[in-house]
Amino acid sequence: MRIILLGPPGSGKGTQSSFISEYYKISHLSTGDILRSEVNKGSDLGISAKKYMEVGDLIPDELMIKAINNKILNLSTGFLLDGFPRTLNQAQSLDTLLINKNKPIDKVVCLKVNKDEIISRLLSRAICNSCGNNYNLLSSPPKQKGKCDSCGGDIITRSDDNKEAISNRLQIYEEMTSPVINYYDSGKRCFFVTASDEPQNVFETIRKLLDK
Ligand code: AMP
């Protein structure tokens, strides 16, 4: 199974990706996680990406496509892409890559959440610096303050979860990622899911869609 999960920042892509990839036993590729790990390592890609990420801008297509293509090609299992593609150019290049390998995308799931809820979720979000696990400090904080429930890593606030960067990220989503949704929707590959409900219920809706 080859799936793309789209949705604005804060729509729960990370949480749903974990549920989906575990349930269907497929690889989860999150471009945000990949880039954050490169930033932590201080690699050339990380150094180039950091300045864009901090203010909520997209990193240039050329860098992003190069970084993800090899990871996709090296996979021997199905996969779920989380946070990629985010521009029309990325979507078209992904289709070319996969169609050439005779492994087209099966389904695209697009999460929908209203803007006020997104902002409130992002302002109370924290992540594990080691494994990337997501927490909401108000509704689902880690059991031990500052430590990840899964791996014991440090819980941090993302540098782009501040009001200015959030507003920029939402605007970029409208401008750059909406055409991606239209692209998949016009090919009848896109399924929309309201993601304001409890995460487990949202996953149930997605599972029914994917099992069809
Ligand atoms: P995310 O964790 O998905 O919210 O991504 C965090 C940041 O990583 C984004 O705000 C961008 O700066 C960068 N990023 C992630 N995925 C992409 C992508 N497909 N294209 C360009 N930049 C990306």
Side-chain angles (χ1 to χ4, degrees), residues 7-9 56 58 86-88 110-115 118 166-182:
L58 294 183
R86 262 164 145 118
T87 67
L88 195 52
C110 182
L111 302 180
K112 296 255 175 201
V113 180
N114 77 51
K115 195 172 166 186
I118 286 175
I166 291 171
S167 150
N168 190 31
R169 285 153 71 201
L170 289 175
Q171 194 179 337
I172 287 178
Y173 185 78
E174 274 309 310
E175 281 169 19
M176 308 296 287
T177 310
S178 293
V180 175
I181 299 170
N182 295 339

Side-chain angles (χ1 to χ4, degrees), residues 31-32 35-36 53 57-59 64 83-84 86 90 158:
T31 44
L35 292 170
R36 276 185 289 280
M53 295 172 76
D57 283 341
L58 294 183
I59 73 161
M64 189 73 260
F84 184 87
R86 262 164 145 118
Q90 291 179 11
R158 276 174 50 166

Side-chain angles (χ1 to χ4, degrees), residues 3-202:
I3 310 165
I4 293 173
L5 187 61
L6 296 174
S11 56
K13 293 192 298 297
T15 306
Q16 294 305 325
S17 295
S18 303
F19 287 149
I20 298 168
S21 55
E22 248 170 62
Y23 184 84
Y24 291 102
K25 311 248 177 303
I26 54 178
S27 303
H28 170 200
L29 284 183
S30 152
T31 44
D33 286 350
I34 292 168
L35 292 170
R36 276 185 289 280
S37 145
E38 295 297 323
V39 171
N40 286 343
K41 281 193 253 171
S43 68
D44 287 349
L45 171 62
I47 292 167
S48 313
K50 192 172 181 212
K51 58 180 182 293
Y52 298 100
M53 295 172 76
E54 273 175 349
V55 292
D57 283 341
L58 294 183
I59 73 161
D61 280 345
E62 196 190 288
L63 274 183
M64 189 73 260
I65 291 169
K66 198 169 152 209
I68 191 92
N69 273 6
N70 278 339
K71 293 198 189 289
I72 296 174
L73 289 178
N74 285 334
L75 290 174
S76 51
T77 58
F79 57 79
L80 166 73
L81 296 178
D82 157 13
F84 184 87
R86 262 164 145 118
T87 67
L88 195 52
N89 191 13
Q90 291 179 11
Q92 287 166 335
S93 118
L94 177 68
D95 263 352
T96 307
L97 180 84
L98 294 177
I99 287 163
N100 279 338
K101 295 280 162 197
N102 210 10
K103 289 182 170 172
I105 291 294
D106 297 309
K107 279 183 183 158
V108 179
V109 176
C110 182
L111 302 180
K112 296 255 175 201
V113 180
N114 77 51
K115 195 172 166 186
D116 288 346
E117 192 175 337
I118 286 175
I119 294 171
S120 123
R121 282 185 187 186
L122 291 176
L123 289 175
S124 51
R125 176 165 77 174
I127 61 162
C128 171
N129 205 18
S130 300
C131 72
N133 240 11
N134 268 274
Y135 295 89
N136 182 305
L137 295 178
L138 300 176
S139 59
S140 56
K143 292 189 184 94
Q144 189 193 340
K145 196 175 173 203
K147 294 286 168 201
C148 178
D149 294 348
S150 301
C151 75
D154 291 333
I155 301 294
I156 57 157
T157 301
R158 276 174 50 166
S159 58
D160 56 352
D161 279 344
N162 62 72
K163 277 191 180 149
E164 292 74 29
I166 291 171
S167 150
N168 190 31
R169 285 153 71 201
L170 289 175
Q171 194 179 337
I172 287 178
Y173 185 78
E174 274 309 310
E175 281 169 19
M176 308 296 287
T177 310
S178 293
V180 175
I181 299 170
N182 295 339
Y183 172 74
Y184 289 121
D185 202 24
S186 64
K188 309 239 178 300
R189 286 186 282 177
C190 203
F191 299 86
F192 296 91
V193 172
T194 303
S196 316
D197 202 351
E198 287 299 313
Q200 196 62 48
N201 296 342
V202 175

